[in-house]
Amino acid sequence: MTARHAHHLAGEPGGPRRNRGDRRDTGAGQRALTTAPLVESKAVWTVPRQPAALTAFKVTGVAVSGALFVSLLVRIAVGLSAGTSAWLVLPAFLLGYFFADLVSGTVHWFCDTFFEEDTPVIGKIVIRPFRDHHVHPQRITCYRFIEQDTTNFFLMLPPLAVAFWIGAPWPESVGALFWCCCLLGLATGSFGTNLFHKWAHERKPPVAVRWLQRSGLILMPERHRRHHTDHSRGFCVTTGWLNPLLDALRFFPRVEHIVRFLQR
């Protein structure tokens, strides 16, 4: 993953380097931070050119991961046609979809909170893009799919490949069907996370996308705006379903407090 491909199962890049004083600062700096618009001008800056070899590699990865996803979907359908209980398909799928939202928030929070942009290895290719996104939130809309939205396809390759290798789900196996439907939901959310995040920043997303946003099936711009006005909340960027609960519990700040306490 390169600096401009700052996208992960956890969701897209999150923001500028945050020090421990960011949330306590009530001066002009904090006011400027919390009033930053979700949409900014695209002028001047241009998308860096992606090497052809990297594009070819990404296309291959997306194709393989997509093929494994379709294969899993077909095997689930075959299992259902064989009489395996169908009632658990939707709950299992939603469980996986929820988990994708949680993972997107966890990775987003981690990259916003820990390490620095000059940290060896991960600083430039992982941390910096997340921090830059808060400084230039609209740049995310300038990239093509193959330039920015493919990382999660690679992250989902191992579990999809394992499911394919063992031939799961097996006919009349309720447990295997349940976990394969969870995997299907996780893959669906993971594949879409970066696109959902990008669409939340679009001024005029496609009509179908806007319908999905209004229905709450994918990340809503209004829901995501809360993160760009307060960088300590609203980390989940697949659907944002978990943000109200996690924010109410102050889940990520509490986890951060525990981690920093253990680092002493």
Side-chain angles (χ1 to χ4, degrees):
M1 181 168 56
T2 66
R4 63 179 191 276
H5 312 128
H7 303 33
H8 52 41
L9 180 61
E12 298 286 1
R17 179 187 293 124
R18 188 178 74 193
N19 57 48
R20 295 296 295 162
D22 282 349
R23 291 179 226 159
R24 296 190 298 269
D25 182 4
T26 58
Q30 178 67 8
R31 288 195 296 273
L33 176 69
T34 59
T35 58
L38 189 60
V39 175
E40 65 171 18
S41 172
K42 299 181 184 179
V44 181
W45 180 85
T46 57
V47 177
R49 182 181 296 274
Q50 178 171 271
L54 180 57
T55 298
F57 176 74
K58 288 184 174 184
V59 169
T60 301
V62 170
V64 172
S65 193
L68 291 173
F69 177 87
V70 172
S71 175
L72 177 63
L73 183 61
V74 170
R75 293 197 307 276
I76 289 174
V78 171
L80 292 174
S81 67
T84 308
S85 300
W87 64 268
L88 51 71
V89 171
L90 183 59
F93 180 89
L94 288 176
L95 180 62
Y97 202 53
F98 264 104
F99 188 62
D101 197 41
L102 177 61
V103 174
S104 77
T106 302
V107 175
H108 185 172
W109 160 76
F110 181 86
C111 292
D112 273 9
T113 305
F114 299 103
F115 297 105
E116 301 296 336
E117 296 171 40
D118 56 359
T119 299
V121 183
I122 66 170
K124 182 177 180 180
I125 64 175
V126 178
I127 304 302
R128 182 186 297 173
F130 277 82
R131 310 287 169 87
D132 283 349
H133 177 62
H134 278 184
V135 180
H136 306 288
Q138 194 63 8
R139 287 183 179 178
I140 190 176
T141 66
C142 299
Y143 291 91
R144 296 178 302 162
F145 168 82
I146 203 63
E147 292 171 332
Q148 183 185 52
D149 305 319
T150 60
T151 303
N152 289 349
F153 285 83
F154 287 91
L155 294 178
M156 289 305 302
L157 270 173
L160 288 172
V162 169
F164 177 80
W165 181 260
I166 65 177
W170 308 286
E172 301 182 1
S173 174
V174 175
L177 179 64
F178 178 85
W179 290 112
C180 282
C181 289
C182 285
L183 177 59
L184 192 71
L186 174 61
T188 300
S190 300
F191 290 168
T193 290
N194 297 327
L195 279 173
F196 300 164
H197 184 196
K198 178 161 64 178
W199 287 335
H201 284 271
E202 289 280 5
R203 292 184 176 90
K204 295 181 179 180
V207 174
V209 170
R210 188 56 188 154
W211 180 86
L212 290 171
Q213 290 174 334
R214 287 197 300 266
S215 67
L217 295 175
I218 65 176
L219 184 65
M220 300 168 59
E222 298 80 8
R223 186 175 289 161
H224 185 51
R225 193 181 304 275
R226 298 169 188 167
H227 177 70
H228 282 272
T229 57
D230 181 354
H231 297 163
S232 68
R233 57 185 297 184
F235 288 101
C236 299
V237 293
T238 301
T239 61
W241 289 349
L242 292 174
N243 284 331
L245 175 61
L246 296 177
D247 292 344
L249 295 174
R250 300 192 72 253
F251 176 78
F252 288 116
R254 291 178 189 276
V255 174
E256 179 184 352
H257 178 76
I258 293 172
V259 172
R260 295 194 185 279
F261 175 78
L262 294 176
Q263 288 178 329
R264 294 176 183 174

